[in-house]
Amino acid sequence: MTAPQAPFNGIWPALLTPLTESLDIDIDSFARHSRSLLDAGCTGITPFGTTGEGPSFSMAERRDAIDGLVARGVPAERILVSTSCAALPEVVALTRHALQLGAHGCLMLPPFFLKGVPDQGVIDAYRWVIDRVADARLRLYLYHIPQVSGVPLSHPVIATLKELYPDTIVGIKDSGCDRTASLALADAFIDRVMVYVGNEPDLPVLGARGSTGAVSGIANVMPRLVHRMVTRFDGPDAERDQQRVRAFLDILGGYGMTAAFKGIMAFLNDDPGWRRVRPPLVPLSDAEYQRLASQMKAFGADRNVD
């Protein structure tokens, strides 16, 4: 099996996870959505991250869903699998499964249940996984989203892991939504570890520093626009795209993020099933959905244009 290329370029949407009436993963819809994003020019997809409600699904559910994507025509090498779990043996199992399939790489949170963990504990958790996977094909992207995980990735942690595993640690997904901190990460590491920012308004700034792509939630809805923000960050559409993304985020901020994204997908696809989320998340109420649909109409959302 050929080792995956790393680090990645272009847009890899933080994939939303459609659900059936019983709140199981709707794998057929999952694959259709994935293929539509690839057809729109996305380089790959990233299932089971924060936007995809990843920790709400079991190891078996996630493994079977990834198998289902590949069986339904999504190339394994275009999948960056989020393998983050509270229990490290499950992270190991999902990571091994991704490698067996030939996935591009894996995205991993720091240990996120126990808070107040020192840097050494974070390093030890990553070492526990990497050493047990023990596979030279592993390309690991570190996932920094402290406002959700409660556990930040410090510069010493990143530097230590890169020194210990120079061929394995290839990227950082920085979703901290702090531009100053993102630029500091880029200044410190981008020549050794690619830095990808998750906050879309910061994409042009990071692109100017050499960042080559993004794992983006908004790309579920506006893949072409987000792609331009990465590949043509100083192009003629740059200011218009920035304004459009900020207007979209202003709308999104009035709701729970994942529920709102799914409501938008329901509107764009005329499919109410997209509104479903798994507990503990709560779907949009009918009134919220109608309000969001009206806002999207006024916004002029169109996945075939944006």
Side-chain angles (χ1 to χ4, degrees):
M1 185 180 297
T2 303
Q5 295 297 310
F8 68 73
N9 296 315
I11 296 303
W12 296 61
L15 203 63
L16 292 160
T17 309
L19 304 177
T20 66
E21 290 185 16
S22 58
L23 301 186
D24 297 314
I25 298 171
D26 184 341
I27 299 178
D28 288 334
S29 182
F30 202 35
R32 282 195 300 273
H33 181 45
S34 300
R35 292 195 304 267
S36 74
L37 292 169
L38 297 178
D39 289 344
C42 295
T43 308
I45 55 168
T46 306
F48 299 121
T50 305
T51 305
E53 304 170 74
S56 294
F57 300 105
S58 71
M59 179 180 69
E61 286 179 302
R62 291 158 71 173
R63 181 194 61 217
D64 292 348
I66 299 298
D67 285 342
L69 290 180
V70 174
R72 288 162 177 79
V74 178
E77 65 271 16
R78 298 180 74 177
I79 304 176
L80 172 61
V81 184
S82 178
T83 59
S84 304
C85 301
L88 293 183
E90 294 188 350
V91 181
V92 170
L94 286 174
T95 301
R96 285 175 174 162
H97 174 257
L99 292 175
Q100 289 165 0
L101 277 181
H104 167 81
C106 296
L107 177 69
M108 181 182 165
L109 284 166
F112 56 83
F113 181 74
L114 298 172
K115 305 302 187 288
V117 174
D119 279 358
Q120 189 60 52
V122 176
I123 292 166
D124 288 348
Y126 278 103
R127 293 193 69 181
W128 205 96
V129 171
I130 295 168
D131 290 347
R132 279 161 179 75
V133 170
D135 192 322
R137 295 172 298 175
L138 177 58
R139 300 294 180 264
L140 194 64
Y141 294 81
L142 309 177
Y143 188 8
H144 175 70
I145 184 168
Q147 70 275 27
V148 174
S149 69
V151 181
L153 285 170
S154 71
H155 285 213
V157 165
I158 297 166
T160 299
L161 290 172
K162 182 62 177 178
E163 182 177 356
L164 290 169
Y165 305 102
D167 297 326
T168 299
I169 306 299
V170 296
I172 305 162
K173 182 186 186 307
D174 172 24
S175 294
C177 299
D178 179 337
R179 181 175 292 185
T180 299
S182 297
L183 290 172
L185 271 178
D187 290 342
F189 294 107
I190 207 164
D191 61 337
R192 293 174 288 155
V193 183
M194 183 52 63
V195 178
Y196 306 94
V197 69
N199 188 40
E200 287 84 359
D202 294 338
L203 289 175
V205 176
L206 266 291
R209 295 291 180 97
S211 183
T212 62
V215 175
S216 162
I218 291 179
N220 283 280
V221 177
M222 299 188 290
R224 292 172 175 84
L225 184 151
V226 180
H227 183 264
R228 285 196 304 273
M229 293 182 76
V230 167
T231 60
R232 300 202 299 272
F233 56 84
D234 57 354
D237 297 318
E239 183 58 32
R240 176 259 186 195
D241 289 344
Q242 272 278 19
Q243 292 175 357
R244 194 154 174 79
V245 161
R246 290 188 182 281
F248 181 84
L249 289 171
D250 286 344
I251 295 171
L252 201 68
Y255 309 89
M257 183 190 71
T258 299
F261 268 128
K262 286 191 159 183
I264 293 166
M265 289 296 296
F267 166 74
L268 291 173
N269 292 280
D270 193 23
D271 179 1
W274 262 108
R275 291 171 59 185
R276 302 179 187 118
V277 295
R278 182 173 279 193
L281 298 183
V282 177
L284 297 180
S285 67
D286 289 344
E288 287 174 322
Y289 175 69
Q290 292 303 324
R291 176 161 60 95
L292 180 61
S294 295
Q295 290 172 307
M296 285 294 103
K297 288 177 184 176
F299 179 77
D302 188 341
R303 296 176 73 205
N304 294 317
V305 175
D306 281 315

